[in-house]
């Protein structure tokens, strides 16, 4: 039977949640750190790109401004105005041509006449024939025309000196920056004539070399010019806008963030991986620890709810389940049956075979009970050999009785343990929730009462609780309390009567001591009842001692040849009993051979080592033993021999049927034969009729007891009887009828 606790799942779930949370936090941390890093990298790169664009603009602007300015350094000059008019080639080479190329890095320089024709040309650091540069003139023509127009409108040399024209032009060897300035007087020493103004043209190839040169100080990578913009806007800027020839300055942007990221990425990734691994390991460790904890918690919980020996539910779990089932029963859903099972004579198994064997038997019984009732009910072990079966959803008492029979049938097959066979019977007390108040303690109490009833009815039985049992129980409680008071006060309320026993010759052979209790309110209480109460409530020892003491005293005083005293199974199994008996004999001055102890078959079944330990010294001292109520129980020849019984007393029930029931007759004959073959004397008790007496005498009984021969009588009466028998020289007191047996 397993017990599942719903909180197991909850704690398992909460661990999974914690684990997930740790992993999630770890991952989130990585993602956040990654995102910040990524944003940082982007920002650094964007800033760098913006800076590069700004630098590129500055560099380009300085190029665009510098070129006309450089030209103007020689073009706004009185000498230049005069010398170009004279078309002085040396002057032009030294100041407006080769010199400018050397000094400012122009690729080509031209001087144009006021009518637009070239007067001077220089290229590749040399003066060249103007015709050699024919391809250039159409390209620069629009630019030249534009400036010329502006010059013609200029009102002074100063105005004209401020004029420049600048544009990108396309030449056979690529794009070039063309700039045109007028050659004008620097002052008014010579007159300014717009119509007679020469122009200076400078060309600079917009090639990689130039790009490198002007952009190197700004550390732009791979700068060059393209006729189309670069795909990303920050990678290019337009050289001139507007311009006849669209041209872009293009470069590969530096990405310091990206470079840094690339450099630290492996280390960062390693670190992240290590962190994640550590987190994962920690998580797994946590998971394992939690699982271990859960496991031990589950085990602890299981052992708190289960019986260690049988694995069945224990009292705690039983009470929980009972409470639940009763709640349903109270709400009117279904009825509930409870069966309490107590193994008969289990103590004797322990005593005879030892506790390990007893444990194995309990284990097997538990296992079998769990199989007998199907899965639904709870089978619990609540004591050494006590079990409780819960049967929820049980319709009524009929079903309950049926379950009791199943349990008894199920236990009836012998148990085999270590090669020994054990035949087990159990007493069952059962209650249905309909017949008692449906609360836990009450149900258990009622089942308990029913169990007592079953035990007292002779064991191996089941009894179903019903209301009157409670009255009986209350009565027993009262009896027990009163008996305890009577025994401790020792006021003689417990009397002893003596029933004479006669031998086959009709002579008084002795008497059986029988306890009597006259209750002040209830009147005489039968010994069967108060002896059972005394056994049940632990009062048998004082009761037994009182009867033994009184019987020995009276037997000694009255000179009875034998007094028989009934001994409970509990007494004979108690350590020190023999010593106590011998002490009483000594105190009362009765020779041990004049005492006979009557044991019932319960003692024989017990076959207890403790009983043997008492019987040995008693037999040795000369006390004799009789097996009382022979045939009513389960005694076997083996017990008769093992215990050393001197006598058996055939049970009243056989004697009383001997004349009416042929089977009873047969059984009695068999018992007498068996006893005499073992050399054991036979007493017949409960003889009520003469016919019974004659029959038993003829069958070979050696002594006789019964109302027909003599009822139990008080101390004085038996004393008188004994005296009469003595005086009459053993002439019996027997009525005429029974004398015939002599
Ligand atoms: P028991 O030992 O078998 O005692 C014989 C019982 O049979 C006595 O009942 C006796 O009165 C009754 N009896 C004798 N002759 C006849 C007869 O002809 N007809 C009928 N119907 N009954 C007859 P009692 O005194 O009621 O005792 C009942 C049982 O109580 C005894 O059975 C014995 O087992 C037990 N008992 C009595 N006194 C003691 C005692 O001091 N200690 C113990 N342990 N048990 C006792
Ligand atoms: Mg007896
Ligand atoms: Mg008897």
């Amino acid at each position: 039977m397993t017990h599942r606790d719903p909180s197991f799942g909850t704690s398992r779930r909460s661990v999974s949640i914690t684990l997930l949370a740790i992993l999630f936090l770890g991952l989130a941390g990585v993602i956040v750190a990654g995102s910040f890093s990524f944003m940082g990298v982007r920002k650094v790169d964007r800033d760098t790109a913006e800076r590069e664009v700004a630098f590129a603009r500055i560099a380009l602007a300085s190029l665009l401004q510098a070129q006309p300015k450089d030209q103007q350094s020689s073009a706004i000059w009185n000498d230049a105005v005069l010398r170009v008019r004279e078309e002085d080639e040396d002057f032009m080479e030294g100041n407006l041509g080769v010199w400018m190329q050397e000094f400012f890095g122009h690729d080509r320089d031209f001087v144009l006449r006021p009518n637009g024709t070239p007067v001077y040309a220089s290229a590749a650091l040399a003066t060249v024939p103007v015709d050699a540069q024919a391809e250039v003139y159409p390209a620069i023509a629009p630019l030249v025309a534009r400036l010329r127009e502006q010059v013609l409108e200029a009102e002074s040399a100063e105005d004209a000196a401020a004029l420049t024209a600048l544009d990108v032009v396309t030449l056979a060897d690529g794009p070039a920056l063309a700039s045109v300035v007028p050659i004008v007087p620097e002052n008014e020493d010579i007159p300014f004539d717009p119509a007679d103004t020469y122009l200076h043209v400078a060309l600079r190839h917009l090639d990689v070399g130039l790009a490198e040169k002007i952009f190197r100080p700004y550390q732009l990578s791979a700068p060059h010019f393209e006729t189309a913009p670069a795909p990303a806007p920050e990678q290019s800027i337009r050289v001139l806008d507007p311009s006849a020839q669209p041209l872009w300055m293009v470069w590969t942007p530096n990405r310091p963030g990206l470079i840094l990221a690339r450099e630290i990425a492996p280390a960062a990734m390693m670190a992240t991986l290590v962190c994640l691994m550590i987190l994962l390991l920690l998580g797994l460790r946590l998971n394992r620890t939690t699982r271990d904890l859960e496991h031990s918690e589950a085990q602890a919980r299981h052992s708190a709810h289960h019986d260690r020996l049988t694995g069945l539910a224990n009292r705690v779990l039983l009470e929980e389940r009972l409470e639940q089932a009763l709640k349903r029963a109270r709400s009117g859903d279904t009825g509930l049956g409870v069966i309490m099972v107590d193994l008969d004579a289990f103590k004797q198994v322990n005593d005879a075979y030892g506790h390990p064997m007893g444990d194995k038997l309990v284990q097997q019984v538990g296992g079998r009970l769990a199989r007998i009732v199907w899965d639904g009910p709870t089978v619990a072990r609540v004591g050494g050999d006590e079990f409780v079966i819960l049967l929820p959803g049980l319709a009524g008492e009929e079903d309950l009785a049926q379950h009791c029979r199943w349990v008894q049938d199920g236990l009836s097959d012998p148990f085999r343990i270590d090669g020994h066979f054990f035949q087990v019977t159990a007493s069952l007390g059962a209650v249905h929730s309909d017949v008692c108040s449906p609360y836990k303690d009450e149900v258990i109490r009622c089942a308990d009462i029913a169990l007592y009833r079953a035990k007292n009815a002779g064991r191996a039985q089941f009894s179903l609780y019903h209301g009157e049992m409670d009255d009986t129980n209350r009565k027993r409680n009262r009896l027990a309390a009163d008996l305890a008071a009577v025994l401790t006060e020792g006021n003689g309320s417990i009397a002893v009567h003596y029933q004479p026993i006669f031998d086959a010759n009709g002579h008084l052979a002795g008497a059986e001591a029988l306890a009597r209790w006259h209750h002040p309110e209830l009147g005489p209480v039968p010994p069967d009842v108060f002896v059972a109460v005394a056994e049940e409530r632990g009062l048998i020892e004082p009761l037994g001692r009182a009867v033994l003491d009184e019987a020995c005293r009276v037997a000694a005083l009255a000179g009875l040849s034998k007094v028989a005293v009934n001994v409970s199974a509990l007494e004979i199994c108690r350590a020190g009993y023999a010593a106590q008996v011998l002490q009483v004999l000594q105190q009362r001055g009765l020779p041990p051979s004049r005492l006979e102890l009557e044991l019932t078959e319960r003692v024989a079944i017990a076959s207890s080592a403790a009983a043997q330990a008492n019987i040995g010294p008693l037999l040795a001292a000369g006390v004799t033993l009789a097996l009382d109520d022979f045939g009513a129980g389960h005694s076997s020849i083996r017990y008769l021999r093992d215990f050393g019984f001197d006598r058996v007393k055939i049970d009243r029930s056989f004697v009383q049927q001997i004349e009416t029931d042929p089977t009873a007759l047969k059984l009695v004959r068999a018992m007498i034969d068996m006893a005499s073959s073992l050399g054991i004397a036979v007493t017949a008790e409960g003889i009520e009729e003469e016919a019974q007496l004659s029959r038993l005498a003829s069958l070979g009984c050696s002594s006789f007891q019964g109302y027909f021969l003599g009822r139990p009588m008080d101390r004085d009466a038996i004393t008188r009887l004994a005296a009469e028998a003595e005086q009459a020289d053993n002439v019996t007191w027997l009525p005429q009828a029974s004398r015939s047996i002599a």
Side-chain angles (χ1 to χ4, degrees):
M1 207 137 294
T2 51
H3 175 71
R4 249 174 223 297
D5 194 300
S7 67
F8 288 2
T10 315
S11 68
R12 186 91 197 90
R13 255 199 315 279
S14 70
V15 170
S16 307
I17 289 169
T18 313
L19 198 67
L20 277 176
I22 288 178
L23 279 176
F24 177 76
L25 281 178
L27 270 174
V30 168
I31 289 170
V32 167
S35 314
F36 276 123
S37 310
F38 179 71
M39 275 153 55
V41 164
R42 285 279 306 265
K43 173 105 174 70
V44 168
D45 286 352
R46 216 173 25 239
D47 288 354
T48 307
E50 277 171 13
R51 228 181 359 260
E52 283 181 351
V53 169
F55 286 154
R57 286 196 203 288
I58 292 168
L60 199 60
S62 66
L63 171 74
L64 298 178
Q65 282 166 13
Q67 192 165 308
K69 274 229 159 56
D70 294 345
Q71 287 171 274
Q72 284 169 340
S73 66
S74 290
I76 305 169
W77 187 17
N78 293 353
D79 284 359
V81 176
L82 299 174
R83 295 296 186 86
V84 292
R85 282 187 189 151
E86 290 163 16
E87 301 190 357
D88 178 342
E89 197 177 91
D90 287 346
F91 178 87
M92 286 189 283
E93 186 181 83
N95 294 289
L96 297 164
V98 175
W99 178 82
M100 280 213 175
Q101 288 172 26
E102 284 171 351
F103 207 77
F104 298 122
H106 297 168
D107 291 304
R108 301 178 207 201
D109 287 286
F110 301 90
V111 178
L112 305 179
R113 294 190 185 89
N115 65 3
T117 57
V119 63
Y120 173 81
S122 65
L125 299 171
T127 299
V128 294
V130 292
D131 296 343
Q133 297 295 315
E135 55 119 357
V136 174
Y137 308 128
I140 60 173
L143 199 60
V144 170
R146 202 166 77 212
L147 189 77
R148 172 76 59 206
E149 225 169 87
Q150 289 171 354
V151 170
L152 288 175
E153 284 168 12
E155 289 174 2
S156 65
E158 203 179 337
D159 286 352
L163 298 171
T164 61
L166 188 74
D167 204 355
V168 175
V169 297
T170 306
L171 303 178
D173 49 0
L177 182 65
S179 54
V180 188
V181 297
I183 300 170
V184 289
E186 66 193 282
N187 49 33
E188 289 168 4
D189 291 351
I190 55 169
F192 164 65
D193 181 1
D196 191 23
T197 296
Y198 283 68
L199 302 179
H200 182 265
V201 179
L203 282 176
R204 221 168 167 182
H205 291 300
L206 293 170
D207 55 13
V208 175
L210 176 66
E212 287 279 358
K213 197 169 151 197
I214 60 167
F215 292 118
R216 178 154 311 123
Y218 301 103
Q219 294 181 335
L220 297 185
S221 304
H224 60 283
F225 295 96
E226 291 275 3
T227 51
E234 68 270 28
Q235 284 181 314
S236 56
I237 53 171
R238 188 152 175 185
V239 174
L240 263 178
D241 196 13
S243 156
Q245 303 298 326
L247 191 72
W248 280 266
M249 145 74 202
V250 177
W251 70 97
T252 309
N254 284 311
R255 296 264 183 90
L258 193 66
I259 291 166
L260 184 71
R262 280 206 188 114
E263 270 170 16
I264 62 166
M269 269 169 70
M270 276 301 285
T272 308
L273 260 175
V274 168
C275 284
L276 279 176
M277 288 284 282
I278 289 172
L279 270 180
L280 199 72
L281 285 177
L282 279 177
L284 288 175
R285 180 83 183 268
L286 174 73
N287 195 24
R288 205 176 37 236
T289 315
T290 314
R291 228 191 351 242
D292 289 353
L293 263 175
E294 269 180 11
H295 188 65
S296 41
E297 194 184 315
Q299 266 180 338
R301 226 182 284 246
H302 186 269
S303 18
H305 286 89
H306 291 83
D307 171 48
R308 197 183 41 78
L309 183 64
T310 57
L312 297 172
N314 64 10
R315 193 178 283 278
V316 177
L317 183 54
L318 170 78
E319 288 187 358
E320 274 178 23
R321 299 260 166 99
L322 182 58
E323 197 59 73
Q324 288 164 6
L326 284 171
K327 212 176 273 176
R328 283 197 295 276
R330 284 198 293 273
S331 68
D333 266 8
T334 52
L336 165 79
V338 175
I339 304 179
M340 218 172 247
V341 181
D342 188 289
L343 301 187
D344 297 330
F346 174 70
K347 188 176 177 303
Q348 282 73 43
V349 175
N350 266 342
D351 290 346
Y353 295 91
H355 284 273
M357 190 68 104
D359 283 354
K360 284 181 190 170
L361 180 60
V362 166
Q363 264 173 346
Q364 286 205 13
V365 168
R368 204 179 281 182
L369 286 177
R371 279 195 299 277
I372 296 167
V373 287
W374 57 89
D375 244 350
T378 296
V379 179
R381 179 173 173 239
V382 295
D385 62 341
E386 259 187 64
F387 300 84
V388 172
I389 302 170
L390 291 193
L391 300 160
L394 207 65
E397 294 212 300
E398 256 314 295
D399 276 2
L400 188 57
Q402 184 54 48
H403 276 85
C404 289
R405 282 189 281 274
W406 281 334
V407 170
Q408 285 187 318
D409 285 354
L411 293 178
S412 66
D413 285 341
F415 290 86
R416 190 186 172 157
I417 303 166
D418 299 345
H420 297 272
F421 284 94
F422 291 87
Q423 186 72 56
V424 165
T425 62
S427 302
L428 275 58
V431 62
H432 193 272
S433 56
D434 288 352
V435 298
C436 71
S437 100
Y439 291 90
K440 190 183 71 194
D441 293 343
E442 196 50 23
V443 168
I444 292 283
R445 193 182 69 85
C446 294
D448 225 14
I449 292 172
L451 177 64
Y452 264 118
R453 179 55 69 95
K455 283 227 172 266
N456 287 328
R459 292 156 199 256
Q461 315 217 6
F462 72 85
S463 95
L464 304 188
Y465 174 85
H466 49 83
E468 308 102 69
M469 275 188 192
D470 234 3
D471 301 340
T472 317
N473 199 50
R474 264 194 282 280
K475 247 183 237 162
R476 283 172 90 85
N477 284 343
R478 181 174 170 200
L479 275 185
D482 294 348
L483 183 62
V486 160
L487 286 170
T488 44
E489 282 161 17
N491 60 4
S493 297
I494 299 290
V496 181
H497 281 196
Y498 302 86
Q499 185 174 29
I501 301 169
F502 298 93
D503 65 14
N505 297 316
H507 297 145
L508 181 67
E512 178 178 3
L514 295 162
R516 293 289 177 264
W517 181 23
H518 190 93
H519 191 281
E521 285 160 33
L522 303 173
V525 182
D528 305 295
V529 174
F530 71 80
V531 167
V533 168
E535 284 183 332
E536 214 175 281
R537 310 292 165 103
L539 295 169
I540 193 66
E541 203 232 304
L543 175 66
R545 197 177 27 218
V547 173
L548 178 74
D549 189 62
E550 171 70 3
C552 289
R553 194 175 69 88
V554 170
L557 286 175
L560 275 174
S561 53
K562 197 100 178 174
V563 67
V565 173
N566 292 288
V567 179
S568 149
L570 296 180
E571 283 178 282
I572 196 75
C573 291
R574 185 167 54 77
Y577 179 69
Q580 187 200 318
V581 171
L582 295 177
Q583 193 191 11
V584 170
L585 284 170
Q586 205 192 5
Q587 277 170 0
R588 296 303 178 189
L590 189 73
S593 59
R594 284 169 62 190
L595 175 67
E596 184 155 274
L597 297 181
E598 292 191 6
L599 303 177
T600 59
E601 295 179 327
R602 271 164 67 189
V603 181
I605 293 167
S607 112
S608 133
Q612 295 276 15
N614 282 320
I615 287 169
L618 289 170
L619 290 181
V623 174
T624 56
L625 282 190
L627 179 59
D628 205 353
D629 305 336
F630 185 56
H634 302 84
S635 335
S636 72
I637 301 178
R638 211 188 98 204
Y639 293 133
L640 280 177
R641 242 195 354 239
D642 286 358
F643 278 89
F645 283 108
D646 301 282
R647 176 186 306 280
V648 294
K649 295 183 80 173
I650 293 176
D651 191 60
R652 201 164 67 213
S653 56
F654 295 100
V655 170
Q656 285 171 354
Q657 287 171 358
I658 196 163
E659 288 303 297
T660 51
D661 183 354
T663 318
L665 178 61
K666 263 191 219 156
L667 283 171
V668 170
R669 186 178 282 136
M671 284 187 253
I672 294 170
D673 287 351
M674 185 178 83
S676 56
S677 71
L678 290 168
I680 294 173
V682 180
T683 298
E685 64 177 340
I687 299 169
E688 291 181 352
E689 294 161 14
E690 190 172 1
Q692 293 164 348
L693 178 65
S694 316
R695 172 78 70 179
L696 288 158
S698 70
L699 287 173
C701 276
S702 54
S703 47
F704 308 89
Q705 183 183 354
Y707 292 170
F708 178 66
L709 299 167
R711 285 183 173 262
M713 55 191 80
D714 65 14
R715 183 174 52 197
D716 297 340
I718 195 72
T719 308
R720 270 198 308 275
L721 181 65
E724 274 172 29
E726 188 73 32
Q727 275 170 13
D729 191 15
N730 283 342
V731 173
T732 62
W733 171 87
L734 285 176
Q736 196 58 37
S738 56
R739 227 172 259 161
S740 59
I741 64 167

